[in-house]
Amino acid sequence: LAFEQLSPQSNPQIGLWYKEVGGLPVVLGALALLDAWLWHEDSPRTEIGPLLCSGYLRAYQFTRLFPPVAQGLWNSKARWQRDGAPASRMISLAWNLERSANLAMADFDRTVLARALMSRHTEKSSRSESLKSLIDLFVEVPAVTTELAAKRLSVSPQAVLQLMKRLGNALPPELTGRTRYRAWGVI
């Protein structure tokens, strides 16, 4: 929504930037947009720059790169500096994007491993569609509560707890440590 409000039609400066990066490869164009925003803005810590970059990637169907850009551009040791040369600014942004993408891939690998473990653990038991749907829900959502699972699977909360018991040792860790409002997740 914030990116749609920041569209090139509503802000002529962004429209000019879009025209300038039009011939570049998509990821390089997104980084150039981010660099332009950071150089133009007084406060580089605003969320609008990463949203602009991520929205540009989304417009070109690079949705897998959207979360790393929006979340982790500032997690790298390389820092963007306004007074630096344009090439060094772009290199620091590219290093930040690479680090963010590596963190996202580590999360993806952890999720794939957890899914394989849960599937392997339950393949000997009966082929329950609800159990398969619960495993898919753990992959899809970072934190699964009993209420969320019951709503998504169209079963009672007690049935969800029984399905979780069937996961046994493959059940993802409990995140809250509470008995009433429990949540599990692949972390």
Side-chain angles (χ1 to χ4, degrees), residues 27 54 57 62-70 97 101:
V27 175
S54 300
L57 290 171
F62 278 72
T63 54
R64 296 242 183 238
L65 290 176
F66 181 73
V69 172
L97 179 63

Side-chain angles (χ1 to χ4, degrees), residues 5 11 13 23 58-59 61 68 80-81 128 177 180 187:
Q5 292 173 353
N11 191 331
Q13 184 77 24
R58 179 179 281 179
Q61 307 300 320
W80 182 90
Q81 295 178 353
S128 168
R180 184 166 178 179
I187 54 172

Side-chain angles (χ1 to χ4, degrees), residues 86-152:
S88 66
R89 293 193 320 249
M90 291 296 288
I91 288 172
S92 73
L93 289 175
W95 281 343
N96 291 345
L97 179 63
E98 179 186 19
R99 175 158 165 69
S100 300
N102 287 337
L103 292 173
M105 285 307 296
D107 286 344
F108 179 73
D109 290 343
R110 188 172 31 251
T111 304
V112 168
L113 181 64
R115 181 189 183 124
L117 178 66
M118 287 187 280
S119 296
R120 193 169 353 134
H121 187 77
T122 59
E123 69 185 15
K124 293 179 184 176
S125 65
S126 65
R127 305 266 178 196
S128 168
E129 287 300 317
S130 295
L131 191 56
K132 289 178 184 177
S133 298
L134 180 64
I135 292 171
D136 291 339
L137 185 62
F138 275 116
V139 172
E140 180 184 336
V141 180
V144 175
T145 62
T146 308
E147 292 80 18
L148 173 70
K151 184 177 177 182
R152 288 275 188 97

